[in-house]
Amino acid sequence: MWKSIQGVYGAFHFQLSKACLNSSTFRSRWLISRISPFSTNESQPPQYGHGFPIPSFTVRQDEPLPLKRARLLYQSRKRGMLENGLILSTFAAKHLNSFDEQQLEQYDKLINLPSNDWDIYYWATEVKETPPEFKNEVMDLLKQHVKNDDREGRCKQPDLT
C-alpha cells in the first residue's frame, strides 16, 4: 500500500508492506533508508551528510561590544550538545561581561573555529591536549571553570537577564 507524508522537506512516497508494520525496528530502519531530506527522487540514495560544507570562521569587523557579547552568549547556550551547552552557558554568564575586546575575540575563536564541539569539550576537561592556537587566557579560565572548585550546581543553563 502507498502512503504519503507531507513534511518539512516536501512529499515523500514510500511503500509499507503489512509484514513491515509488525516490526518497528525493521520499519524504522527501512523508512530512514528511504527518506532523504535532500531529494524526493526515490531512485537516488539518501544524501545525509553531503552537500553542507562547514562555514569558515570570519572575524566580524567593527562589531559593537554589546552586540558581540549578546551573540557569544547565544552561541554559548545553543551548542547542539548538552555538555557544552551547560559548560559554555555557565562560563559565559560568569565571565562574558567582564571580558575585554581581546578576550572576547579569543572566546569567539574558541567556540566558532573548531568544527567539532567534542574537541572543545575534551580540551576544557583536559582529556586532550589543547592545540597551540587555543592556548590562551580564556581557555585557562574555561578549564578552571570546568574543574568547578566551588561545587556550583550546573544542572541547567542560567536564566537570561
Side-chain angles (χ1 to χ4, degrees):
M1 89 180 158
W2 288 91
K3 291 194 176 196
S4 175
I5 292 179
Q6 295 293 328
V8 176
Y9 301 107
F12 298 104
H13 300 282
F14 51 91
Q15 185 176 18
L16 292 176
S17 69
K18 289 182 181 179
C20 291
L21 293 174
N22 295 330
S23 170
S24 63
T25 303
F26 177 80
R27 184 176 64 239
S28 62
R29 287 182 183 164
W30 188 82
L31 290 175
I32 289 170
S33 71
R34 298 292 290 167
I35 298 174
S36 170
F38 306 107
S39 171
T40 56
N41 183 350
E42 290 183 356
S43 65
Q44 294 180 351
Q47 300 293 314
Y48 294 106
H50 298 281
F52 287 114
I54 296 172
S56 60
F57 175 75
T58 55
V59 176
R60 297 173 190 234
Q61 301 295 328
D62 302 323
E63 184 178 26
L65 289 183
L67 182 61
K68 181 178 277 197
R69 283 189 175 96
R71 177 177 58 82
L72 292 174
L73 178 62
Y74 176 82
Q75 290 175 339
S76 298
R77 296 175 65 87
K78 306 296 182 188
R79 297 307 302 173
M81 71 181 257
L82 179 61
E83 294 85 352
N84 276 1
L86 290 172
I87 290 170
L88 294 175
S89 66
T90 55
F91 178 79
K94 187 175 185 178
H95 293 287
L96 214 54
N97 285 331
S98 64
F99 280 175
D100 60 25
E101 193 167 354
Q102 180 186 4
Q103 291 169 319
L104 288 173
E105 284 296 321
Q106 291 174 355
Y107 186 66
D108 193 4
K109 288 177 183 174
L110 172 65
I111 66 172
N112 289 309
L113 262 179
S115 61
N116 186 348
D117 257 15
W118 281 108
D119 288 337
I120 299 170
Y121 178 78
Y122 289 138
W123 299 334
T125 57
E126 299 185 84
V127 171
K128 288 185 178 178
E129 180 73 22
T130 305
E133 61 268 22
F134 296 110
K135 285 186 179 180
N136 55 44
E137 180 183 1
V138 172
M139 179 54 89
D140 293 339
L141 284 171
L142 181 60
K143 287 178 181 180
Q144 190 63 39
H145 178 75
V146 167
K147 288 178 183 174
N148 197 11
D149 292 331
D150 297 333
R151 302 290 182 229
E152 299 171 321
R154 297 180 184 161
C155 302
K156 67 179 191 104
Q157 293 185 352
D159 294 330
L160 294 172
T161 56

